[in-house]
Amino acid sequence: MTTLIRGGAVVNHDHTRRADVLVEGEHIAAVGTGLSTPSGATVIDAGGCFVMPGGIDPHTHLDMPFMGTTSADDFESGTLAALSGGTTMVVDFCLPGPSQSMLSAYQEWRHKGEKAAGDWGLHMAVTSWNKERFDEMETVVKTYGINTFKHFMAYKGALMVNDDEMYNSFARCANLGALPLVHAENGDVVARLQAQLLGRGLNGPEGHAYSRPPEVEGEATNRAIMIADMAGSQLYVVHTSCRQSHEAIARARAVGKRVYGEPLIQHLVLDEGEYQHRDWDYAARRVMSPPFRAKEHQGSLWAGLQSGSLQVVATDHCAFTTKQKRGGIGDFTRIPNGTGGLEDRMPVLWAAGVNTGRLTMEEFVAVTSANIARILNVFPRKGAVAVGSDADIVVWDPAATKTISAAKQKSRIDYNVFEGFACKGLPRATLNRGRIALLDGDLRAKAGDGKYIERPAFPASHVAQATWKELTAPRGVDRAAVTP
Ligand code: URP
Ligand code: ZN
Ligand code: ZN
């Protein structure tokens, strides 16, 4: 299939220029002015539009068993929502059960992903630690094309790992050329605060926010950064929601640590006032971790995106219906944690970021695709409108408007946390590896169109030479004396 995108302005993370874009098959064949139309080519008129790399959302939970239920959007509805909003690739989390091997969890998630309508990849979660996990990590990196491992410092009694496990896994990541990710909240303190609040009879959704103050996140972010430094690994902090966490990341970067931070679109525009709503359903629908913060934290997150101390805007799309949320009536700790946003991330960020002057168009591209493509080691295959790159392209009409409404969304849930938000700037067309997924409101993509994207390992660290023997050496023994 050949497509010529004619008459637009191509926006990459580092420059903007007026150019046509020729797509042949799955790739971009030419970028330049006055390109001639090959016979049989489809022509998309991009006059008045910006032609940008398709968005990459590196943080989704589609079809995920969690807190006694399963997230409502699967790989089909989630990726269709993504494509409608200009996002051409998602990276989801493969979560092994308590005693499940990473290898069998990977097979399960690959099966779930067969329905994806857009490109997708996986992060692997480290949910338990032993020699089997240590060994499996090598297969995950070298055979499955997964170069990222997620660690939950929260969800005590479920997904949470302790400092010892994190240190070992981070060192193993460095050794394999993989990047550790953390959900940074102090799960022990959260559990304590939850019990205190419930003990005082505070059981509504607002209790969720009170039990997870910014200090809980700031402490865990600092701790993860220091552990990563000692283990010799880089670090990516998911859903950075508050000033304390952002400052920890900025401090680390200022002394040369390779640490990345990922604010969510929700935390950039929604605040803790949402949990004070008198309607239980309204507040519970917004329960996610970390919770929405006091408004002043938003300024810190925007500043981080502007200055480069924070690099990526994601969604953490983990959607639950109102019926699922109601499982937590009478006990906020049982409200399934998670909100949606896949269809809305790019339009809301454009409206709140570019239209307000907070972000340039190039910065918009950086934080929605190019930076994460580099962090995940798939740039410039993804995250660039350039010759040879995958033809993942969004033709963005800066004059198009809509008001977000659950009634019109692709997600399967019955509400939208951005309901009523006025967007100006929307995708006119979305192409995923050359296939027209969306054109003028016509969503053409279908289940199975997406491709699983493998990501190569980074060069292995020369600092971390951790073997299983080293990592399990009894404490107090000089590590140098333990020969592999
Ligand atoms: O509340 C959230 N964020 N739910 C999804 C799981 C996670 O912590 O990312
Ligand atoms: Zn999380
Ligand atoms: Zn998440």
Side-chain angles (χ1 to χ4, degrees), residues 59 61 64 66 150 152 155 183 239 288-289 316 318 337-338:
H59 191 156
H61 301 277
M64 180 179 80
F66 189 49
K150 173 79 173 285
F152 290 90
Y155 305 126
H183 169 135
H239 48 46
M288 66 169 300
S289 296
D316 195 1
C318 185
N337 284 203

Side-chain angles (χ1 to χ4, degrees), residues 265-329:
I265 188 62
Q266 295 92 321
H267 290 118
L268 287 165
V269 301
L270 301 170
D271 68 72
E272 64 182 4
E274 302 276 324
Y275 300 114
Q276 302 301 330
H277 205 282
R278 292 171 65 168
D279 175 12
W280 190 96
D281 284 345
Y282 182 99
R285 288 165 178 159
R286 282 139 182 93
V287 163
M288 66 169 300
S289 296
F292 303 157
R293 301 295 190 194
K295 267 206 180 313
E296 57 263 27
H297 294 280
Q298 292 174 357
S300 174
L301 300 181
W302 283 110
L305 294 173
Q306 291 163 327
S307 66
S309 52
L310 299 173
Q311 296 75 31
V312 178
V313 176
T315 61
D316 195 1
H317 187 101
C318 185
F320 296 104
T321 62
T322 304
K323 191 169 169 214
Q324 290 175 297
K325 291 278 185 181
R326 284 183 183 159
I329 289 177

Side-chain angles (χ1 to χ4, degrees), residues 147 170 173-174 177-181 228-229 232-236 257-260 375 458-459:
N147 59 13
F170 287 8
C173 284
L179 168 68
L181 276 45
D229 193 37
S233 72
Q234 24 170 8
L235 183 72
Y236 181 96
K257 295 181 177 136
R258 196 154 285 132
V259 177
Y260 307 105
I375 292 167
F458 304 92

Side-chain angles (χ1 to χ4, degrees), residues 337-352:
N337 284 203
T339 61
L342 259 172
E343 188 170 348
D344 313 307
R345 176 182 70 133
M346 307 257 288
V348 171
L349 187 69
W350 185 274

